[in-house]
Amino acid sequence: MIRFKKPVQLLEWGEGTNTKNQIWSVLGEGRFTKKTAKDGVTTLTVETNGPIQRKNQKDNSVKLTQKGEGMTSHSEHWGEVATGHIHSINGNTVVIEIPFAVKISGAAGLIRQFFFAADND
């Protein structure tokens, strides 16, 4: 599950990488600022702490990790919470599209969205 209020680390698919020698390198670290879902595609906007320096211009694959999430429950290690594709990069703002089912804390429930619309949980 993606925890919207927790810091997120973005990893990019390494250049020259294949499924046997996967190399994921850190693209940036920051916080989520916006989330939307339309037609089954979740779009997340991340503000990174610094400028984005891409090493692999050929592949837009990105992995999202958060501390204590994924298979690293209750630890200080970064665990994978989702994979997706970079839609756009503008300075230190990255827009990521996730075309797969994903659970985001605070994103479910019509009543919750109605009464707590300002809450970005």
Side-chain angles (χ1 to χ4, degrees):
M1 177 191 314
I2 296 174
R3 306 284 182 188
F4 196 78
K5 289 187 177 182
K6 287 178 79 172
V8 63
Q9 191 176 60
L10 305 176
L11 305 171
E12 73 173 333
W13 184 253
E15 193 170 13
T17 297
N18 59 43
T19 56
K20 292 185 179 182
N21 70 341
Q22 291 185 28
I23 301 169
W24 291 92
S25 55
V26 176
L27 184 61
E29 189 175 325
R31 294 199 166 276
F32 294 110
T33 58
K34 185 178 177 184
K35 59 187 170 190
T36 59
K38 183 176 180 181
D39 296 331
V41 176
T42 302
T43 304
L44 298 169
T45 304
V46 177
E47 291 286 330
T48 60
N49 299 336
I52 301 297
Q53 301 275 331
R54 290 198 58 196
K55 298 177 189 114
N56 185 0
Q57 299 295 330
K58 297 177 185 176
D59 194 327
N60 285 333
S61 298
V62 65
K63 182 185 288 193
L64 286 75
T65 61
Q66 291 183 306
K67 283 189 177 180
E69 295 300 324
M71 295 183 73
T72 64
S73 181
H74 305 295
S75 76
E76 287 301 309
H77 296 289
W78 294 91
E80 179 181 344
V81 292
T83 57
H85 306 284
I86 297 172
H87 180 263
S88 66
I89 298 176
N90 186 6
N92 65 338
T93 303
V94 182
V95 178
I96 300 164
E97 290 182 340
I98 303 172
F100 316 106
V102 63
K103 186 172 181 181
I104 302 174
S105 64
L110 180 61
I111 294 173
R112 180 178 172 84
Q113 289 177 4
F114 180 75
F115 288 108
F116 303 102
D119 185 333
N120 283 334
D121 184 16

